[in-house]
Amino acid sequence: MTSFINVEGLYKSFGEQNVLKNVNFKVEKGEIVGLLGPNGSGKTTFIRILNGVIKPEKGTILLNGMDPATEGDTIRKISGIVTESAGLYHQMSGKENLELFADLYGVKDKKRLTELLDLFDLTEHQDKPVGKYSTGMKKRLALAKALLHKPDILFLDEPTNGLDPDGIQMVLSYLKKYNQETGTTMIICSHVLHQLETICDTFAFIENGTIAEQGTLTELEEKYVQNVVVKVNTTFKPQDNHFSGFPCKLEEESMVVFELPSKKDIPSLLNNLLKTDPVYSVTIMNNDLQSIYFKVRGM
């Protein structure tokens, strides 16, 4: 079965600069994929190629069975795009912006505007000039604009840049909710890994112009996390550097760090600790997305 997006052996350069090199990438329909990497790693160029805005030198690309290099117009009709600049008219109200883009996209159902204003909590602000919107409100309006024509795929380039923690959480929760309700495929480009850990189904790490690794968090953890570092909030005080055969140390008051061969050893550790001391919390310290990313990069 062919994936919704299938990329094989993609190359792209600008002059003497090789931007993308032998990129292989797959996305299933309905997935939220985090395309993660440092600034300048090629994320934006890759998205522009997938959307048919620029052409690669070499490689095979199919998006919903179409080649962006020759069927870019058709692909863009089924795509929604949110960039850092948002592309909104600040002198116009939020509602007027959506009405303008609805006309451009050929959206006849005016109830769609009402649905999106409501979805993104912008109904009470719909008549305000966009220039008076907060950064978070502009991001939400940009999302509403991108979703007007009910695209099959949504490309989001750094959608949380410039937002405070509340704004970041709000935008990401809207995206997850919309994906669950509609099955819209989403590719989110970001260099802030921890923000996307809870909403993405899979992750692709782009490094020096190529996809260094791709998979679910569980798949990546199984591949890259061998020994597990566990922080335990407990009254236990290690008398030496080992407890029940596991290396340990007191990191701070009531916090003991243990090194275990695998997650399977956590129950045994806790059973032994609870024989003498209460345990208030247990946290695995080295299986988060950022830790795995640095392992992928060999850092």
Side-chain angles (χ1 to χ4, degrees):
M1 184 177 176
T2 305
S3 300
F4 185 68
I5 299 176
N6 193 71
V7 178
E8 295 180 1
L10 171 65
Y11 287 80
K12 178 63 182 177
S13 60
F14 295 104
E16 298 296 317
Q17 183 183 10
N18 295 318
V19 180
L20 297 173
K21 298 166 284 188
N22 195 28
V23 172
N24 298 289
F25 180 71
K26 288 186 178 182
V27 177
E28 303 304 325
K29 188 167 179 58
E31 278 190 327
I32 301 180
V33 181
L35 183 62
L36 308 172
N39 290 331
S41 58
K43 300 188 299 296
T44 301
T45 298
F46 185 39
I47 292 301
R48 293 176 72 194
I49 289 174
L50 289 178
N51 203 38
V53 176
I54 57 177
K55 295 182 179 181
E57 268 99 47
K58 190 166 59 170
T60 301
I61 310 171
L62 288 176
L63 193 155
N64 199 24
M66 296 178 285
D67 183 349
T70 57
E71 300 172 271
D73 286 344
T74 305
I75 287 174
R76 285 187 288 276
K77 287 178 182 177
I78 65 166
S79 303
I81 302 174
V82 177
T83 62
E84 283 194 75
S85 61
L88 301 168
Y89 292 95
H90 287 198
Q91 73 275 19
M92 298 168 64
S93 71
K95 184 180 180 182
E96 288 170 339
N97 267 272
L98 292 186
E99 288 173 339
L100 170 65
F101 287 106
D103 288 341
L104 292 175
Y105 294 155
V107 177
K108 305 298 183 185
D109 184 4
K110 298 307 177 183
K111 289 189 295 184
R112 181 65 175 161
L113 280 67
T114 304
E115 290 172 1
L116 290 168
L117 287 166
D118 184 57
L119 174 67
F120 292 107
D121 288 340
L122 290 170
T123 301
E124 64 179 285
H125 306 289
Q126 62 181 318
D127 295 320
K128 292 180 184 177
V130 170
K132 295 185 177 180
Y133 278 21
S134 67
T135 302
M137 290 164 61
K138 289 175 185 174
K139 290 281 186 182
R140 281 147 47 200
L141 186 63
L143 283 169
K145 166 194 149 187
L147 295 171
L148 273 168
H149 57 307
K150 299 182 179 179
D152 292 330
I153 183 166
L154 189 61
F155 296 103
L156 301 121
D157 194 1
E158 306 289 357
T160 59
N161 266 14
L163 298 181
D164 60 22
D166 288 342
I168 291 169
Q169 184 59 41
M170 187 178 292
V171 165
L172 295 180
S173 65
Y174 284 132
L175 291 173
K176 187 67 174 178
K177 179 182 178 185
Y178 191 82
N179 168 264
Q180 291 171 337
E181 292 178 350
T182 66
T184 303
T185 306
M186 298 182 184
I187 298 180
I188 307 177
C189 293
S190 181
H191 62 277
V192 186
L193 281 68
H194 67 87
Q195 292 179 1
L196 303 187
E197 189 166 341
T198 59
I199 76 157
C200 291
D201 301 302
T202 62
F203 303 91
F205 298 141
I206 189 164
E207 175 79 7
N208 296 321
T210 195
I211 302 293
E213 190 60 89
Q214 185 175 4
T216 66
L217 190 58
T218 299
E219 290 168 345
L220 295 169
E221 180 183 352
E222 289 176 354
K223 185 173 181 179
Y224 288 97
V225 180
Q226 282 77 42
N227 297 330
V228 175
V229 178
V230 177
K231 181 182 284 189
V232 182
N233 186 352
T234 177
T235 58
F236 169 77
K237 298 293 189 293
Q239 302 303 312
D240 52 38
N241 292 328
H242 284 76
F243 175 77
S244 296
F246 303 126
C248 63
K249 63 180 179 179
L250 183 66
E251 187 171 273
E252 54 189 277
E253 187 65 29
S254 301
M255 288 291 183
V256 183
V257 176
F258 295 87
E259 293 184 27
L260 310 178
S262 76
K263 286 196 298 187
K264 296 177 181 178
D265 295 298
I266 294 175
S268 172
L269 170 69
L270 297 181
N271 283 334
N272 286 324
L273 279 174
L274 287 166
K275 290 175 182 177
T276 57
D277 293 87
V279 172
Y280 302 110
S281 68
V282 181
T283 307
I284 300 177
M285 303 301 295
N286 65 330
N287 71 336
D288 62 298
L289 188 62
Q290 185 161 301
S291 298
I292 291 171
Y293 179 49
F294 287 128
K295 286 182 178 290
V296 171
R297 298 180 69 191
M299 299 178 68

